[in-house]
């Protein structure tokens, strides 16, 4: 089971909203909307994706990583390393 299972419905709803935002961006470009207005919506879409990523990361830390820490050993080091790399990727975007 995925660590985000308890919030799966919320995550899917967020992703559907983001999908709608991206379709809206496409329509804006097709309709020759003013550049700044499109960029504003791109920024909002990026923020929505970041917010979704934070929810997924939080669930990963609270479930997968904490369970691995309880078990200890290589599994714990692996999960903490994965989380650290995920956080680094999020910070770079």
């Amino acid at each position: 089971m995925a660590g985000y299972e308890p919030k799966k419905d919320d995550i899917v709803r967020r992703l559907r909203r983001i999908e709608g935002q991206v379709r809206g961006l496409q329509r804006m470009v097709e309709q020759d909307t003013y550049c700044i207005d499109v960029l504003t919506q791109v920024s909002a879409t990026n923020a929505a994706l970041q917010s979704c990523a934070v929810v997924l990361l939080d669930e990963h830390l609270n479930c997968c990583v904490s369970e691995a820490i309880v078990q200890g050993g290589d599994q714990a080091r692996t999960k903490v390393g994965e989380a650290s790399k995920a956080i680094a990727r999020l910070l770079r975007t």
Side-chain angles (χ1 to χ4, degrees):
M1 179 173 83
Y4 55 81
E5 183 66 33
K7 293 201 176 177
K8 184 176 180 176
D9 291 340
D10 175 55
I11 293 167
V12 168
R13 264 191 305 281
R14 287 170 179 262
L15 290 171
R16 286 188 180 137
R17 270 194 306 270
I18 293 165
E19 180 182 20
Q21 286 177 293
V22 172
R23 281 194 305 271
L25 282 166
Q26 181 181 354
R27 278 191 303 276
M28 289 175 81
V29 170
E30 289 169 348
Q31 296 169 355
D32 296 324
T33 303
Y34 183 57
C35 302
I36 295 302
D37 294 337
V38 176
L39 288 170
T40 299
Q41 291 306 310
V42 167
S43 178
T45 303
N46 281 335
L49 275 170
Q50 286 290 331
S51 177
C52 187
V54 168
V55 169
L56 286 164
L57 180 61
D58 187 55
E59 290 304 306
H60 179 66
L61 292 171
N62 287 320
C63 181
C64 303
V65 174
S66 13
E67 286 177 9
I69 288 172
V70 168
Q71 292 173 3
D74 289 339
Q75 181 72 6
R77 281 186 286 283
T78 298
K79 292 293 180 189
V80 169
E82 289 173 351
S84 293
K85 288 176 186 173
I87 292 167
R89 283 192 303 272
L90 287 172
L91 292 174
R92 282 193 297 264
T93 58

